[in-house]
Amino acid sequence: MNTITPLTGYPAVGSSTSDSANRGKNYQPRQGQIFKATVMEARSRNTFILDVAGRSLAAQARTPLTVGQTLQLQVMSTAPQVELRILGDSSNLLAGKSITLLGDKIDILSLMSTLRSAQSSPLSNLSTASRQTLESFSLFGQQSLAGKDGGSLLKQMVDRLGLSFEALLARGDTTSAQSTLKTALLELAHLFKGADQLAETTNKLLTTLETYQLAQLQLDKENIFLFPLPLPFLEKGYLVVERGDQEKNEQTEDEERLSLHLSLQGLGNLRIDVLKNPEGLYLRFAGDSKESLQFLEQFKDDLLHAIIDTPILGISFSHEKINPSADLLKRLLPEGESLVNTTV
C-alpha cells in the first residue's frame, strides 16, 4: 500500500456535506474520505507539494511521484498523523486492493457446510466439474498428510486452487481451468449472489484467492513463489519458495529456500525455514512461544530419523516475533513504503 503523509495543515476538501466551520487551515479529514491531488513540485528528502482543491499541501512519501501526476487519495488514518493511501497507482499491483486477507486460510470446509445446510441445495445446481472440485477439496481436508504421498497430494490441491487460472485460459487449457477451485467459486458467486451467507462466504474465498494471485505477480520479479496452504487445521498458512539468482549474488542457482509460515491453535505462530543446497538441508524453527518451541524440540530426533533422502546439516530453534500476515506484507511492500516519516 503506497502512502503519503501531510507535513502541513490538511486543507479542506469541498463537498456538499462539508462543514463550513471546518474549512480552516487545520481542517481535520475524515477517515475513508477520497479526493484527487496533483503533484505540483518535487523537493528534497522525498517531499512533494500537492495541489488539493486549489490549495497547496506539503507531504512526504517514499513512493516515487512525478510532477504533473494526478493522484486519487484516500484517508486511511487521522491519528496520530494523517495518512493517505494512493489508489490505483500502477507501481504496485496491490495498490487500492484490500490486502487484509493475505495469510488467511482458504476455508473450504466452512463453505461446504454452508452449501449443505442451504435449503435450495446449491450443490445440485452447480456444474459437474465445479461440484466435483468442491467435494475433492472437502475430502482433502479430512485426509491425513502424514503418509509418504502427503506431499504429492498437497501439491495437487495447491495446483487446483486456480492461482494460474487466467494463464490456463490464455493457452486454451479449459479442462484444467474448469477443475480449479476458482472456477467453482466464480460459478457459485454468479448463481447465488442473492443468498447473503453463501454469497459472503464465497466472495471472501474468491477475494482471498485473487489477492494471492496479485501478490504472486508482485513477487515474480524477485524470483519468489507464494503458495497458500488449504489445510483445515491451520488458522493461517502459506509457503514461500525463493530460488537462487546468481545475478543478484544472493544464492547460487543450486540453492533454494523454503519458508513455511503457519498459525496453529495450541502452538501459535511458527516459521519453518528450509535451506536446500547440494550438500543437504538446514532447518530452522522460529516461533513466538517459548513453550511451543520447547515442545517441538522434543521431537528433534524423530524428525532427523524421518528425513532419510537428504542429509540434515543443521537444525535450530529460535524464539522470535512471528506474524504470518505481517511477514507477507513486509515482502510485498518496499521497505519504508507503508510508514512515512512526518518530520522534516
Side-chain angles (χ1 to χ4, degrees), residues 3-13 24-29 33 35-43 46-61 65 69 71-75 81-85 342 344:
T3 58
I4 293 177
T5 301
L7 302 176
T8 59
Y10 186 95
V13 180
K25 181 178 180 181
N26 294 318
Y27 168 75
Q28 184 68 17
Q33 183 179 7
F35 59 92
K36 288 185 177 181
T38 302
V39 181
M40 303 301 295
E41 185 180 345
R43 296 184 177 179
N46 299 317
T47 301
F48 302 89
I49 303 299
L50 307 180
D51 180 274
V52 181
R55 296 187 59 180
S56 295
L57 171 67
Q60 192 173 62
L65 302 178
Q69 182 179 6
L71 306 171
Q72 188 176 28
L73 304 175
Q74 182 179 27
V75 180
Q81 61 204 30
V82 176
E83 187 176 40
L84 311 173
R85 175 172 66 169
T342 59
V344 181

Side-chain angles (χ1 to χ4, degrees), residues 15-145:
S15 71
S16 59
T17 59
S18 295
D19 184 351
S20 59
N22 288 331
R23 292 180 181 269
K25 181 178 180 181
N26 294 318
Y27 168 75
Q28 184 68 17
R30 302 184 305 276
Q31 187 168 349
Q33 183 179 7
I34 297 175
F35 59 92
K36 288 185 177 181
T38 302
V39 181
M40 303 301 295
E41 185 180 345
R43 296 184 177 179
S44 61
R45 301 183 65 180
N46 299 317
T47 301
F48 302 89
I49 303 299
L50 307 180
D51 180 274
V52 181
R55 296 187 59 180
S56 295
L57 171 67
Q60 192 173 62
R62 302 273 181 161
T63 304
L65 302 178
T66 305
V67 174
Q69 182 179 6
T70 299
L71 306 171
Q72 188 176 28
L73 304 175
Q74 182 179 27
V75 180
M76 297 304 296
S77 64
T78 58
Q81 61 204 30
V82 176
E83 187 176 40
L84 311 173
R85 175 172 66 169
I86 301 174
L87 302 178
D89 179 25
S90 60
S91 66
N92 191 313
L93 293 169
L94 291 167
K97 302 291 183 181
S98 173
I99 53 179
T100 59
L101 295 176
L102 277 176
D104 281 7
K105 71 175 180 179
I106 299 175
D107 192 356
I108 309 299
L109 294 183
S110 293
L111 174 63
M112 292 299 292
S113 177
T114 302
L115 287 170
R116 289 168 177 155
S117 63
Q119 296 180 351
S120 58
S121 301
L123 282 172
S124 63
N125 295 321
L126 291 174
S127 65
T128 300
S130 292
R131 185 169 63 253
Q132 290 176 345
T133 295
L134 290 173
E135 289 173 347
S136 66
F137 270 93
S138 179
L139 289 173
F140 168 70
Q142 302 170 27
Q143 293 174 324
S144 172
L145 298 175

Side-chain angles (χ1 to χ4, degrees), residues 210-226:
E210 291 177 340
T211 306
Y212 268 109
Q213 287 183 285
L214 289 173
Q216 181 57 68
L217 289 173
Q218 190 74 16
L219 293 172
D220 275 347
K221 56 191 175 184
E222 301 178 43
N223 212 22
I224 295 174
F225 302 89
L226 173 66

Side-chain angles (χ1 to χ4, degrees), residues 25 68 96 108 119 127 134 136 139 179 186 241-242 245 256 270 315-316 322:
K25 181 178 180 181
I108 309 299
Q119 296 180 351
S127 65
L134 290 173
S136 66
L139 289 173
S179 65
L186 287 170
V241 179
E242 301 178 60
D245 190 340
E256 188 172 71
L270 294 171
I315 182 169
S316 63
I322 303 293

